[in-house]
Amino acid sequence: MTAPSAFPAPGPSDPPPPPRARPRTPTAGTARTSDTAPTMALPAGTVPWQARETEPDREAPGGGEHACRALPDTFVERPGPCLPGWVAVLTALAAACAAAALLWRAGALPSWLDGPLLPRSPRTGAGGPLWAGLVPLAAVVLLALSGLARGRPGSVRVLSRCGSYRGTVRGTGLLWISPLLHRRHVDVTLRHWRSRPIDAVDAHGTPLRVELLLVWRVRDTARAVYAVRDHGRFLREAVEAAVARVAARYPVDDFRGERPTLRECERVADDLTRLIAAEVRAVGVEVFSATPVRIDYAPELAAAMRRARVAAVDAKRRKAALDDVLGAVGETLRGISERGLGQLDEYERKALVRDLTVALLTS
């Protein structure tokens, strides 16, 4: 007799089951960590972290004050409108010369300039035509000089107009940028950041304190400025979340030596770098390495766990010493038998083993 099923088969009069909903595809406003930004020149000798092919595609984090805003996948950094500075300087000089010529023609220049430096002015007078020519020339000079800027290596300007992204200027030297555009400076140099002690727990629930050294930089300035309110704070929060996730995978110490622990720096650094890089890729930040520089127990457990660690080390040392002593005793008995120095019965053999073991352990 079979037990009745919890889900009976549909009868002939039962309505057909509803069709399964198709999986939703990400919309244009959802940022995914698999988005890639245009490649850029890297510092000499530095290689950024590359995500593995087996890495699952994760949604960009959402919610909270510093959540990733809805940006289309095509919203990436692009060059902003900019001209060489010498063009603006020459334009300002030409406009100034034209204004001086109008003033000379109207006789508005000092009289001592007539003769030795300039020919005699016709002195047409300061009327409407004069002001009609001076006003646009003055505007050109003001516009050309107010847009001059000095570009420095490692510092770029993100341009916007009425909140709309207009491009990023990465040039260096003397530049001219329209003064009608709002400029926001962003540091794109390679930076090292050492975290404060981060609270976490290991696979056994032991409280820990972890300090991390992070090497990172801003790769896509458009997403770093417009995807979140503060990409630096977003990065710090992503680091804390990654530390908590990685620390929960392994124990901080395994006194039996049977499984990986958090003391394996290469493994832990690899996992941390992968998680952090995948988390902050959607906001235009590039992570090169995340290395734990200190992993210690919480202060309330530090003393007790250190005593346990010392006891485990002492037990391993004693076991190693005993193995050496037993090996030496076995070699001694084997040498006596092979050289025919005497035949030992069971009682004599046990007594010799006991005496040799005590002698060697004492020494």
Side-chain angles (χ1 to χ4, degrees), residues 206-285:
T206 306
L208 304 175
R209 293 287 182 88
V210 181
E211 294 184 15
L212 199 69
L213 181 63
L214 190 71
V215 182
W216 66 285
R217 73 169 183 179
V218 175
R219 180 185 60 177
D220 192 324
T221 57
R223 286 190 170 271
V225 171
Y226 291 97
V228 288
R229 296 183 181 179
D230 186 354
H231 62 272
R233 182 171 180 179
F234 183 90
L235 177 64
R236 292 192 295 269
E237 293 176 353
V239 168
E240 294 182 3
V243 168
R245 292 172 58 187
V246 173
R249 296 179 182 177
Y250 313 105
V252 65
D253 283 310
D254 186 14
F255 300 124
R256 298 181 179 179
E258 298 176 355
R259 57 179 299 185
T261 66
L262 293 176
R263 304 298 182 185
E264 300 181 15
C265 185
E266 292 292 336
R267 178 191 297 270
V268 176
D270 182 80
D271 292 344
L272 284 174
T273 306
R274 176 174 58 86
L275 289 178
I276 299 173
E279 197 77 12
V280 301
R281 189 182 302 118
V283 298
V285 175

Side-chain angles (χ1 to χ4, degrees), residues 311-352:
V313 172
D314 186 66
K316 290 182 179 180
R317 183 186 62 82
R318 291 176 179 274
K319 182 178 181 302
L322 181 60
D323 292 341
D324 294 340
V325 168
L326 293 179
V329 172
E331 290 292 335
T332 302
L333 294 178
R334 189 179 302 108
I336 292 176
S337 300
E338 292 177 353
R339 297 178 182 181
L341 298 180
Q343 297 296 330
L344 301 177
D345 57 13
E346 189 66 22
Y347 176 78
E348 293 175 341
R349 179 182 295 274
K350 290 182 178 179
L352 180 60

Side-chain angles (χ1 to χ4, degrees), residues 67-348:
C68 192
R69 302 175 185 174
L71 291 177
D73 296 341
T74 56
F75 188 87
V76 294
E77 179 183 318
R78 62 177 184 268
C82 176
L83 292 175
W86 60 267
V87 175
V89 172
L90 292 180
T91 302
L93 289 177
C97 292
L102 290 179
L103 292 175
W104 169 80
R105 185 177 181 84
L109 294 179
S111 58
W112 58 269
L113 292 177
D114 295 341
L117 298 179
L118 297 174
R120 183 172 300 276
S121 171
R123 299 187 181 274
T124 57
L130 174 64
W131 296 109
L134 287 179
V135 170
L137 291 176
V140 169
V141 173
L142 182 63
L143 185 65
L145 296 181
S146 61
L148 290 177
R150 183 176 60 175
R152 299 179 180 178
S155 179
V156 303
R157 292 172 174 83
V158 179
L159 308 180
S160 63
R161 177 183 295 166
C162 299
S164 176
Y165 176 63
R166 305 298 297 174
T168 300
V169 176
R170 288 182 173 265
T172 58
L174 188 61
L175 306 171
W176 183 87
I177 303 173
S178 174
L180 303 179
L181 297 176
H182 179 264
R183 312 172 191 180
R184 180 171 178 177
H185 292 264
V186 178
D187 187 3
V188 294
T189 56
L190 197 66
R191 284 183 273 182
H192 293 72
W193 174 68
R194 179 163 180 166
S195 69
R196 58 173 180 80
I198 301 174
D199 296 328
V201 293
D202 69 349
H204 296 160
T206 306
L208 304 175
R209 293 287 182 88
V210 181
E211 294 184 15
L212 199 69
L213 181 63
L214 190 71
V215 182
W216 66 285
R217 73 169 183 179
V218 175
R219 180 185 60 177
D220 192 324
T221 57
R223 286 190 170 271
V225 171
Y226 291 97
V228 288
R229 296 183 181 179
D230 186 354
H231 62 272
R233 182 171 180 179
F234 183 90
L235 177 64
R236 292 192 295 269
E237 293 176 353
V239 168
E240 294 182 3
V243 168
R245 292 172 58 187
V246 173
R249 296 179 182 177
Y250 313 105
V252 65
D253 283 310
D254 186 14
F255 300 124
R256 298 181 179 179
E258 298 176 355
R259 57 179 299 185
T261 66
L262 293 176
R263 304 298 182 185
E264 300 181 15
C265 185
E266 292 292 336
R267 178 191 297 270
V268 176
D270 182 80
D271 292 344
L272 284 174
T273 306
R274 176 174 58 86
L275 289 178
I276 299 173
E279 197 77 12
V280 301
R281 189 182 302 118
V283 298
V285 175
E286 186 175 31
V287 174
F288 290 82
S289 66
T291 307
V293 294
R294 183 180 181 184
I295 300 177
D296 202 356
Y297 295 100
E300 59 270 16
L301 295 178
M305 298 307 295
R306 289 194 184 98
R307 288 195 296 269
R309 181 69 177 175
V310 170
V313 172
D314 186 66
K316 290 182 179 180
R317 183 186 62 82
R318 291 176 179 274
K319 182 178 181 302
L322 181 60
D323 292 341
D324 294 340
V325 168
L326 293 179
V329 172
E331 290 292 335
T332 302
L333 294 178
R334 189 179 302 108
I336 292 176
S337 300
E338 292 177 353
R339 297 178 182 181
L341 298 180
Q343 297 296 330
L344 301 177
D345 57 13
E346 189 66 22
Y347 176 78
E348 293 175 341

